[in-house]
Amino acid sequence: MTFFLFAGDMLVMAFMVVLVVWVFMRSSDETIDEAARIPLEDEQADG
């Protein structure tokens, strides 16, 4: 049973890593920079 939980966790982790790599490769640098600035700009707007 433990093996199935571990294998499931590894599959989910592999999916997330592939998703991040795919988004990183398909997006332009400007789009990635804009997405990275969202939390910083949100904190500045609240203050």
Side-chain angles (χ1 to χ4, degrees):
M1 183 68 181
T2 304
F3 174 75
F4 291 117
L5 291 173
F6 178 75
D9 286 343
M10 292 298 107
L11 286 173
V12 169
M13 183 66 73
F15 171 75
M16 289 189 291
V17 168
V18 169
L19 183 65
V20 167
V21 169
W22 180 71
V23 168
F24 181 74
M25 294 298 204
R26 299 282 299 170
S27 299
S28 66
D29 288 340
E30 296 165 356
T31 305
I32 293 172
D33 287 341
E34 288 175 11
R37 272 190 255 114
I38 290 173
L40 298 174
E41 293 173 353
D42 187 41
E43 288 179 2
Q44 291 173 357
D46 288 342

